[in-house]
Amino acid sequence: MFRFLLLAALLLTSGALRAETAAEKAGFAPRLLIYNARGPANACGAGCDRWIAIEGQVDAGAAARVGRFLRDAKDTTRPIYFHSPGGSVRPSYAIARMLRGRKAVARVGRTIATACASGTQVDAACLKVKMAGGEVEAELTTRNAMCNSACGYLFLGATTREVAPDAALAVHNSKLTLVVRGPGSERLSAKQIAEFRQRSVANADRERAAFVVSMGISRELDDLIRTVKFENLHVLTRPELYRFGIDKRSLLETPWTFETAARPYVHKMAAARHGDGAAFRMMEWRLSCETRTRARLMFVRESGEEAGNRTMVLMAGQEKSVALGKPVRLGRFEVWSDVVTSDAMQAMLAAPRLRIGESTQTAEGKSNNLATFEIDTLGLEPSWTRLLGSCPADTPRPAAASTNLSATPAAPAAAAAAR
């Protein structure tokens, strides 16, 4: 029970992003990169395996390079994934307007080039791979991906904007750097320089405010940016992303992904709008195997105001379900956990979507349905197949009692992994 509670305490909090530090900025290319990437099936969504990656620091020449790339790009439907600590503001405005003219789909995500797995993603050899032209074989993840500072302006240019539950969009005020030089510069007084700085900052503020509104975003975003010092970063909360008009989805979710750890697991995160306002709840599902024939599903959700004796159930199709029972309260989270039978696991793998139902039992013994919503199973089968390879063997018992939690017979790779 102690290990269970300790694990639950880490859920939904272990992936929290920090504001940008010098060390994090050092992990990015010194100038903005843009290239085509290709991954496994459904890497960038259902039916999507190709995308455009934009990453690194926004430099003065970034707009010209991005403009040339987009002019040569034939496929205008590819989503664009951003991962950047920010940089120069003016080029960001220019790139944003290019993306608006293209009616781009923008997401925050890290593109991990397969050829660079043995080193970093920004060493000389890897940068050569990314800038060689053509498509770069890669994997895609939103976990701990960021689009900070000036990168946020690029992001606002897209007509469709999506920030995953485990990614971050962060903002702060700009910093003006003045370089006084040329004939007569030595005669400028400190007062003249200060006045010029003040006028420049005012012009920059007006330009940013006009840009934000032109991208269809609430003025509240600009008001917030003015309050955040350049030395700090404010990671936009899910309610702010929704209220400002940046990401207007009521339910957003990550694919099921395999996580390498001391005890590997498969997990999925989601955020769902709660009530009539802009309040959101974070949720996570974590699937692990106790043995090759025994799986466990843990569901963690931020607590709400519901009262009563509540239960949760996950349904795959019309017949198979996992009854998660009653929750355990852990701080501001509620945790459900239960065993997944072999039949239920196979039904989950076969279903395109899973239905989550919640109900409460009154003092009179009546059951009231509180909410029902659906989540997709994108990535569940390949992730579960990988997980099976790390599952401990079962304790020997009669063959008649043996079961198998592998994927359906139609998935030979998964069946082979289970043997």
Side-chain angles (χ1 to χ4, degrees), residues 111-125:
T111 300
I112 304 172
T114 306
C116 308
S118 59
T120 71
Q121 290 291 310
V122 293
D123 59 34

Side-chain angles (χ1 to χ4, degrees), residues 92-172:
S92 299
Y93 292 161
I95 296 171
R97 294 186 175 100
M98 296 178 199
L99 300 181
R100 180 53 54 100
R102 189 184 178 88
K103 297 182 179 180
V105 174
R107 298 168 184 158
V108 182
R110 293 187 294 137
T111 300
I112 304 172
T114 306
C116 308
S118 59
T120 71
Q121 290 291 310
V122 293
D123 59 34
C126 189
L127 293 180
K128 185 176 180 180
V129 169
K130 293 179 177 180
M131 303 312 297
E135 292 181 331
V136 176
E137 293 288 342
E139 294 182 354
L140 185 62
T141 181
T142 56
R143 189 169 188 179
N144 290 339
M146 65 180 72
C147 183
N148 295 346
S149 184
C151 176
Y153 302 134
L154 275 70
F155 192 78
L156 296 184
T159 52
T160 299
R161 299 174 290 262
E162 299 178 356
V163 183
D166 53 356
L169 188 70
V171 298
H172 63 174

